[in-house]
Amino acid sequence: MSSISQNDLSNLDDGSKKEIMTFLESENSKQKVQMSIHQFTNLCFKNCISNVQNADLSSQEEQCLNNCVNRFLDTNIRIVKGLQSIQ
Amino acid sequence: MALTSIFGGSSSSSGTPATSSPSDVKTQLKSQISQELAIANATELVNKVTENCFEKCLNAPYAASQDNCVDQCLAKYMRSWNAISKAYINRIQQASVNGEI
């Protein structure tokens, strides 16, 4: 991979710098979503998928995955509210 | 968000000339960032699937490999990934519509 020199970077005009910053912010928030999906899949796969005899998801498994994400988020919101109320 | 997005759709530019115009630098910077993120995501996925499928398919004293089980497990993990992704994004959109975020 060819790298970008320090010189190239300092030669960027303000418009380009701003564009890069905007790009970084959007990639950053997309990445946060991606990492959450990794985390939820890891957690919910462990809890909802009891066997891997079949590569397809059963409707119960799919429902369980769906509930798992939603209950995790409910719990997260509840915890944040709880912590806010004691500070 | 499709699963394929984590492997990055954008192609990387290679063999750029030594003197780069600002717009080349910009493009190259963006593609380098996207590529790094795609690698980070692919690594995370490989690690998580390996951990989960090892747990589901193999047992101590690990005398035999379980290729068939691992293959099925991988397919099932990917389907789970997609289901979770859909559920999470629905929830984010719902929260956004309700003005919660």
Side-chain angles (χ1 to χ4, degrees):
Chain A
M1 192 188 294
S2 59
S3 59
I4 300 162
S5 75
Q6 197 67 48
N7 204 27
D8 286 337
L9 286 178
S10 44
N11 284 342
L12 281 177
D13 55 283
D14 285 353
S16 299
K17 281 181 188 160
K18 215 172 161 192
E19 192 185 322
I20 296 289
M21 285 314 291
T22 312
F23 176 78
L24 270 178
E25 271 165 37
S26 94
E27 289 300 299
N28 199 19
S29 42
K30 270 196 280 178
Q31 188 58 22
K32 280 185 190 162
V33 173
Q34 293 274 12
M35 290 314 286
S36 297
I37 299 172
H38 282 302
Q39 186 202 340
F40 301 155
T41 308
N42 185 42
L43 174 77
C44 300
F45 188 87
K46 283 189 200 323
N47 291 321
C48 294
I49 311 298
S50 50
N51 75 76
V52 287
Q53 314 290 315
N54 191 337
D56 288 314
L57 293 173
S58 69
S59 59
Q60 290 101 309
E61 285 169 333
E62 194 151 0
Q63 189 60 53
C64 178
L65 292 170
N66 208 45
N67 290 339
C68 175
V69 179
N70 280 298
R71 295 301 83 73
F72 184 91
L73 294 169
D74 290 346
T75 309
N76 182 258
I77 291 166
R78 183 102 194 143
I79 299 288
V80 172
K81 282 189 182 147
L83 286 171
Q84 275 169 345
S85 71
I86 56 170
Q87 63 163 243
Chain B
M1 196 175 305
L3 184 63
T4 48
S5 68
I6 69 171
F7 295 114
S10 57
S11 57
S12 64
S13 54
S14 58
T16 43
T19 49
S20 320
S21 77
S23 91
D24 284 346
V25 173
K26 209 167 63 186
T27 312
Q28 205 191 335
L29 202 50
K30 282 185 186 178
S31 107
Q32 215 166 302
I33 291 163
S34 301
Q35 208 183 333
E36 295 283 339
L37 288 172
I39 292 169
N41 272 313
T43 307
E44 181 73 9
L45 183 69
V46 170
N47 289 340
K48 290 281 190 280
V49 184
T50 305
E51 183 193 315
N52 277 285
C53 294
F54 184 84
E55 250 172 60
K56 293 261 192 268
C57 293
L58 289 110
N59 292 301
Y62 308 115
S65 59
Q66 304 288 343
D67 290 346
N68 202 35
C69 177
V70 171
D71 291 347
Q72 304 243 73
C73 178
L74 170 60
K76 204 157 188 172
Y77 198 93
M78 301 301 247
R79 291 192 170 115
S80 302
W81 205 98
N82 283 328
I84 298 275
S85 169
K86 214 161 79 185
Y88 183 42
I89 286 164
N90 276 344
R91 177 86 184 231
I92 294 172
Q93 277 166 351
Q94 201 56 51
S96 168
V97 167
N98 297 342
E100 289 158 14
I101 49 169

